[in-house]
Amino acid sequence: MQTELTQKLEEAVWIAHSLFERGKVSGSTANMSFRTGNRVYITASGCSFGRLTAEDFAVMDVRTHQVVSGDRKPRKEWPLRLAIYE
């Protein structure tokens, strides 16, 4: 059985690939994020939607504003994204 997080990551990757394939985004200019509990998943800096994988998300804590998982650095607008999710 899939976890909610796994499902959300798969959906985010599918959406990114779909947007890229239809020419709605190009290169590494687009970004996305979603929140699950106190964690925000933000596409990492330099990622292309055409090659995006579940591992390409930086995971940040909404309360502490710290990266808590993943080896990737979040995109530079992460403060705005966390503020929206708060």
Side-chain angles (χ1 to χ4, degrees):
M1 181 174 202
Q2 275 189 327
T3 66
E4 179 183 354
L5 174 57
T6 301
Q7 183 177 355
K8 284 188 175 188
L9 284 167
E10 287 179 1
E11 289 173 359
V13 169
W14 181 87
I15 290 166
H17 290 182
S18 176
L19 289 169
F20 184 83
E21 289 167 6
R22 291 183 289 136
K24 303 298 181 186
V25 296
S26 63
S28 60
T29 59
N31 57 70
M32 74 167 59
S33 63
F34 64 89
R35 181 176 178 170
T36 298
N38 289 324
R39 301 288 191 249
V40 174
Y41 292 72
I42 304 171
T43 47
S45 185
C47 290
S48 167
F49 273 26
R51 297 184 309 273
L52 191 72
T53 68
E55 291 77 31
D56 290 326
F57 285 85
V59 185
M60 299 190 72
D61 187 284
V62 171
R63 294 167 294 173
T64 66
H65 293 191
Q66 299 295 315
V67 175
V68 295
S69 180
D71 296 331
R72 306 294 306 265
K73 180 180 175 183
R75 293 189 178 267
K76 64 184 175 185
E77 78 279 347
W78 67 262
L80 172 63
R81 292 197 175 259
L82 289 182
I84 291 168
Y85 288 114
E86 287 177 333

